[in-house]
Amino acid sequence: MADLAKLVDELSSLTVLEAADLAKMLEEKWGVSAAAAVAVAAGPAAGGGAAAAAEEQSEFTVVLASAGDKKIEVIKEVRAITGLGLKEAKDLVEGAPKPVKESVAKDEAEKLKKQLEAVGAKVELK
């Protein structure tokens, strides 16, 4: 196993050009093509595009579109949701539209949207 660790260290120290040359040498020596492996790996990824889109839909970004009439209440709610300080929360609210929270589950995103809308903010889920 020590030889494998040494080999990994040596390969990690190669430049990009050296790695490309190594790949060409191995292709010639073994009679294989790295391009075929890439094409095979890309095939399922292309077919799995619908699955990737479904995964993206499981995570949402809660975006504050506008603060509405009760800006102070919205700032308080943003502070409670994000844990930001007063100045940071105020800057976020005044700079709307801005994301309040990113990569959250649909249930949590809906909950946060309701919380912010309850104090008069306009919220979008993306």
Side-chain angles (χ1 to χ4, degrees):
M1 286 296 177
D3 292 333
L4 291 177
K6 182 179 177 186
L7 183 60
V8 168
D9 290 338
E10 289 179 17
L11 290 174
S12 298
S13 67
L14 293 178
T15 65
V16 174
L17 292 176
E18 291 171 334
D21 288 340
L22 175 63
K24 287 178 187 174
M25 292 171 65
L26 292 174
E27 286 175 358
E28 290 172 9
K29 173 91 174 168
W30 294 337
V32 296
S33 174
V38 171
V40 171
E55 284 181 29
E56 291 176 19
Q57 293 298 321
S58 67
E59 291 187 348
F60 292 87
T61 299
V62 180
V63 178
L64 177 68
S66 71
D69 295 336
K70 302 177 184 176
K71 189 162 74 171
I72 294 174
E73 295 299 319
V74 174
I75 292 171
K76 288 179 183 178
E77 201 61 42
V78 167
R79 286 188 68 201
I81 291 170
T82 61
L84 292 173
L86 181 60
K87 181 182 182 336
E88 292 83 6
K90 181 178 181 268
D91 291 345
L92 188 147
V93 171
E94 289 178 345
K98 287 210 173 180
V100 176
K101 204 153 190 179
E102 297 177 342
S103 301
V104 295
K106 184 176 182 175
D107 295 338
E108 184 179 353
E110 291 290 339
K111 178 183 167 196
L112 296 175
K113 180 179 179 182
K114 286 179 184 177
Q115 281 180 293
L116 289 166
E117 287 177 343
V119 292
K122 292 182 183 169
V123 181
E124 298 174 0
L125 296 180
K126 293 187 179 184

